[in-house]
Amino acid sequence: MNLFLQEWRSLCRSTLTWSLSLAATALLLLALYPSFAQDAADFRSMLDSYPAAVQKAFGITMDTMATLNGYYSFVLMYVSLAGAIQAMNLGLGQLSKETREKTADFLLSKPVSRTRIVTAKVGAALASLLVTNAVYQAAALILAGLVADRVDYGTYLLLSFTLPLIQLLFFALGLLLSVILPKIRSVLPLSLGLVFGFYFVGMIASIVGDRAARYLTPFRYYDRPYIVAHSAYESEFVVLELALLVLFTAGTYVLYRRKDIHAV
Amino acid sequence: MKVMELNGLTKTYGTARGIEDVTFSVEEGETFGFIGPNGAGKSTTIRTLLALIYPTRGSASIFGKDCIRESARIKRDIGYLPSEVFYYDNMRVKDLLVYSASFYRKDCTKRMKELAERMELDLGRKIDDLSFGNKKKVGIVQGLLHEPKLVILDEPTSGLDPLMQQRFFELLEEERQKGTTIFYSSHILSEVQRLCDRVAILKAGKLVRLEKISALKENANKRVRLESAVSVAPDYFAMAGVSHEERQGGEIRFLFRGDLQALTGKIAAMSLTSLYIEEPDLEEIFLHYYEKDAPKAVQS
């Protein structure tokens, strides 16, 4: 428990920053919804002037854009990108920071097993994601009621919950990478590179419309137009996510237990 | 009882050198020196014992338990001071020590205050603001805080001023009297000579010698330096046991090993203005192990 609390304490500040930033993004973009909905016709003509490929890349279809859930899908594009960066930072950082900050000798010479170390660090990171989502989801729900008259809360929540689903996958991937890579000197550049990489793969997948390409990037596991249309996730991707989460987490435990923790 | 037992412990890093086939054991209550030049593999050995890195071959046990499989259990009774100390920067000294203590099942508050006072460590300071020497003190207090049965020290005195070194040695002496086993790794031979009962010498990843400090000194040459008022015949000291004789003005220097009676008889017959007979220090005894092309020594 001491280990968890120490980890949580060190994540507190960034958790607060991320929570408020994500909520602020939602606030800014959702605040524009009422005027957007009013002038939907103008936007439609503007959007139509873009090439079809661009429209696809951003996952915007004008038919749904004028509804709250359609508009929120567009908001979530940015929110989930930012959220993925937060999760990737946590994943890459949690285990590697002891080596980076040269505190590994302190921690690993204490009477704790590597398994317990991973559990405490993962626990603290999950707590951070939980708090971030609690703040974000609450803000998103309240804002929905403020900017729209009638809200389909069921679908709205399904859309909202793609954020933690995407975050979990990026977090687990980051964790696994952090134990595979010999040494991570700086988390942020690597994290940004990976997340944007997956993001662009997602955009290309949208343009090409190739279903197989969707498996390559967590950003496309939860197709928002599909959720708006069906009020459901595509079950095969939910199963895929669960399988990957189990695989990445188990891999992290196994590899971290065997890993040589070098000095320097 | 053996507190520590290494059995053919080997760690290789790809092509880089680690340690090779290191075998020795440390008895309970012993102060055991572990010396060698930088890069000899001292830290690698310690980090393997603590399961920070895993051995390529061989095994080691502490308190009769396997170092790798029962690592967490063993560490309850180990205090470790790493050679380079870095701590969570945003913590105060007290926060860190409380955090450190929280891993052990005992109340260390009183001992923390006591140790901090002895080492003149300000508990309220931020670790970030501390000098290297003061960080080292935090490391020392952290390592001794939970009254471990085995203390592992890796180059503990670097950065400490002479007064603090003295305090630190006093603390270690008290630990020793309590029956604590001390494993003292250093490249500073005089420290090891002063503190330890036995010493293992590591060079280029291999154990080159394992010996009692007292035995080392017995087998070693004495250093003799004398000055005579009158000139001394060039072959005056041509006797068994004398070597490396040098003369400079009226001063004669040589190394002696053998029957002291014979030597003092010779000296008594001279008219001397000064005389020194000195114990050699470890430095001289081991210097040749440190030189690159040293003859390969047998493991005792």
Side-chain angles (χ1 to χ4, degrees), chain A residues 56 202-214 220:
Chain A
K56 271 190 189 166
M203 283 180 122
I204 292 164
S206 299
I207 296 167
V208 179
D210 181 12
R211 189 170 173 79
R214 284 183 59 195
R220 298 286 293 124

Side-chain angles (χ1 to χ4, degrees), chain B residues 57-252:
Chain B
R57 276 192 311 282
S59 64
S61 64
I62 291 178
F63 310 128
K65 298 187 172 71
D66 187 87
C67 273
I68 304 303
R69 283 197 305 275
E70 298 187 69
S71 179
R73 173 74 192 79
I74 290 169
K75 286 172 190 162
R76 282 188 211 163
D77 297 310
I78 295 181
Y80 168 56
L81 172 62
S83 57
E84 277 187 86
V85 284
F86 288 95
Y87 295 122
Y88 305 91
D89 278 342
N90 52 359
M91 283 187 173
R92 288 177 191 286
V93 174
K94 189 170 182 180
D95 301 334
L96 180 98
L97 294 176
V98 168
Y99 181 45
S100 177
S102 70
F103 285 95
Y104 307 96
R105 295 166 187 174
K106 54 174 81 165
D107 179 26
C108 306
T109 323
K110 193 170 151 249
R111 187 158 160 89
M112 177 171 81
K113 293 213 172 91
E114 198 181 290
L115 285 171
E117 205 165 295
R118 292 278 295 274
M119 294 308 292
E120 295 180 15
L121 182 65
D122 183 352
L123 291 173
R125 294 274 301 272
K126 281 224 165 196
I127 293 182
D128 214 7
D129 303 333
L130 295 180
S131 66
F132 181 66
N134 276 320
K135 277 190 185 157
K136 204 85 190 189
K137 289 187 200 169
V138 180
I140 291 168
V141 176
Q142 177 265 132
L144 298 175
L145 195 57
H146 52 287
E147 301 183 89
K149 289 185 195 145
L150 169 66
V151 180
I152 296 178
L153 306 159
D154 195 355
E155 311 273 354
T157 53
S158 60
L160 289 184
D161 61 44
L163 178 68
M164 281 306 140
Q165 283 191 18
Q166 187 55 40
R167 292 267 173 86
F168 172 59
F169 291 148
E170 282 165 24
L171 279 177
L172 286 187
E173 186 53 42
E174 282 164 30
E175 285 303 310
R176 200 225 289 258
Q177 270 158 21
K178 277 194 264 175
T180 308
T181 309
I182 299 169
F183 188 79
Y184 194 104
S185 163
S186 176
H187 64 271
I188 303 167
L189 302 165
S190 57
E191 285 178 1
V192 172
Q193 179 174 21
R194 171 174 174 182
L195 292 166
C196 299
D197 308 312
R198 279 198 307 153
V199 65
I201 302 166
L202 203 64
K203 182 178 175 262
K206 288 184 183 137
L207 189 72
V208 290
R209 190 134 186 195
L210 183 66
E211 192 100 68
K212 281 189 177 160
I213 295 272
S214 55
L216 280 174
K217 286 189 189 167
E218 272 163 29
N219 294 331
N221 294 306
K222 304 240 181 309
R223 202 164 18 149
V224 182
R225 187 152 58 93
L226 48 81
E227 263 178 89
S228 170
V230 293
S231 74
V232 179
D235 60 348
Y236 189 76
F237 285 109
M239 59 184 285
V242 171
S243 62
H244 294 88
E245 187 177 333
E246 279 174 57
R247 295 191 178 204
Q248 195 174 37
E251 194 183 73
I252 305 171

Side-chain angles (χ1 to χ4, degrees), chain A residues 2-3 6 98 101-103 105-114 257-263, chain B residues 11 13 47 50-54 72 75-76 80 82 86-88 91 96 99-100 102-104 142:
Chain A
N2 56 345
L3 193 51
Q6 156 66 15
E98 300 291 338
E101 291 165 14
K102 306 186 183 188
T103 47
D105 278 34
F106 172 86
L107 183 59
L108 291 174
S109 64
K110 297 287 173 237
V112 280
S113 66
R114 300 256 182 120
R257 285 179 59 85
R258 289 184 196 164
K259 187 172 177 159
D260 278 350
I261 308 295
H262 295 294
Chain B
K11 175 70 185 177
Y13 306 102
R47 294 170 65 79
L50 292 169
L52 285 157
I53 53 178
Y54 295 116
K75 286 172 190 162
R76 282 188 211 163
Y80 168 56
F86 288 95
Y87 295 122
Y88 305 91
M91 283 187 173
L96 180 98
Y99 181 45
S100 177
S102 70
F103 285 95
Y104 307 96
Q142 177 265 132

Side-chain angles (χ1 to χ4, degrees), chain A residues 124-167:
Chain A
L126 290 180
S128 171
L129 291 178
L130 187 72
V131 169
T132 307
N133 273 286
V135 172
Y136 173 79
Q137 303 291 354
L141 270 182
I142 293 166
L143 286 166
L146 293 177
V147 299
D149 305 328
R150 275 180 303 126
V151 184
D152 172 3
Y153 280 109
T155 309
Y156 189 82
L157 273 177
L158 277 180
L159 283 171
S160 263
F161 279 137
T162 59
L163 173 65
L165 288 170
I166 289 170
Q167 284 188 307

